[in-house]
Amino acid sequence: MSRWTFALRPPAGRASYLGVARDLTLPTPPIPVVAGLVTRPATPADFPAMVAFTQAPDFKGNRLKMADLERRYHRGDVCFMVSHHGEIATLGWTRFDNAGYLAAGIDIPLRANEAYVGAIFTRAMVRGRGLVTTGSLEHLRWLKERGVTKAYGWVRSANLPMLRTTKRLGWHATSHVEQYFLWFGVRIPIANIVTVADTSDPLAQWCGRERIRFRSGLRVFRQGPVDVPAGRKRSPRTTIETE
């Protein structure tokens, strides 16, 4: 009987994301020089090489197809590409319409002079060479030159290497989203807990209750510390607001 009960129980899960933000009106750290490195926005002519990049055995991420790239390109997304000695080493996407984690049912429409930076993929064979750091700084400079003043992104709380990189590049953890969901072929959120470090900070308000929306589930908003290493307990002294 217990075996059948287990088989019929709906699968459930938990996900944890840190929202990071970067004020592009502030100076960026000096960009290190890496020999043979070229950084630039991708064009449709790069699509075949980008598809091949995502098919490599050491690639971890979504396997892109030509249709995926064409859809993103026509939507207005920009892929910032880092090449090392003629080979693609890193891809990073930018959106100007939405900063939500759409796969998790999180929706945050962007405003003027804002951008979302996400889906940064790096080949395992080139990690640890400073390519992500240099490429990310060039990416931020490119956005700043085009009038973007605030950039946002999501990092999984357990991704400590990326958290260290974003902090080194001047990004700040402004919010934390803890999501509980059911899985029936698609993710169905049942509870979304949003913690904002400082609701009065303009850089943190992109995840405030006035802007962030969820596809489904209970929404709980609170204020408290968010820049906490994975595995550490959070302070219970927070102000809780429930919608």
Side-chain angles (χ1 to χ4, degrees), residues 134-152:
T134 299
S136 297
L137 287 172
E138 290 283 8
H139 193 171
L140 293 178
R141 184 172 67 177
W142 182 85
L143 289 171
K144 184 175 182 178
E145 290 173 350
R146 282 150 184 81
V148 175
T149 58
K150 296 177 183 176
Y152 308 120

Side-chain angles (χ1 to χ4, degrees), residues 4 13 17 23 37 41 61 94 124 128 131 136 156 167 178 214 239:
W4 283 103
Y17 311 103
D23 184 350
L37 196 71
T94 295
L131 304 185
S136 297
R156 289 186 179 272
K167 189 172 185 178
E178 190 172 19
F214 296 93
T239 300

Side-chain angles (χ1 to χ4, degrees), residues 12 70 93 97 102 107 167 189 192 202 205 214 227 234 236 239:
E70 292 170 355
W93 287 93
D97 61 338
L102 301 181
D107 178 64
K167 189 172 185 178
N192 308 277
Q205 292 173 359
F214 296 93
D227 195 6
R234 300 176 181 276
T239 300

Side-chain angles (χ1 to χ4, degrees), residues 68-204:
D68 300 323
L69 297 174
E70 292 170 355
R71 174 178 52 83
R72 294 189 181 194
Y73 182 79
H74 290 299
R75 187 174 61 193
D77 298 359
V78 174
C79 183
F80 207 77
M81 185 170 64
V82 178
S83 299
H84 191 230
H85 294 298
E87 298 289 333
I88 298 177
T90 300
L91 297 177
W93 287 93
T94 295
R95 294 189 63 164
F96 300 95
D97 61 338
N98 202 296
Y101 204 122
L102 301 181
I106 304 174
D107 178 64
I108 308 176
L110 286 171
R111 298 171 179 172
N113 303 321
E114 296 181 332
Y116 167 70
V117 178
I120 300 175
F121 302 113
T122 304
R123 292 283 301 275
M125 62 185 295
V126 299
R127 289 175 183 164
R129 302 183 186 179
L131 304 185
V132 174
T133 298
T134 299
S136 297
L137 287 172
E138 290 283 8
H139 193 171
L140 293 178
R141 184 172 67 177
W142 182 85
L143 289 171
K144 184 175 182 178
E145 290 173 350
R146 282 150 184 81
V148 175
T149 58
K150 296 177 183 176
Y152 308 120
W154 295 101
V155 182
R156 289 186 179 272
S157 299
N159 191 347
L160 298 183
M162 182 56 72
L163 289 174
R164 287 192 292 266
T165 298
T166 55
K167 189 172 185 178
R168 187 168 62 249
L169 298 178
W171 293 76
H172 298 280
T174 60
S175 53
H176 174 263
V177 173
E178 190 172 19
Q179 189 177 74
Y180 296 86
F181 59 89
L182 300 177
W183 179 260
F184 294 101
V186 296
R187 180 182 298 190
I188 304 175
I190 56 176
N192 308 277
I193 303 173
V194 183
T195 304
V196 178
D198 183 357
T199 56
S200 64
D201 180 5
L203 203 60

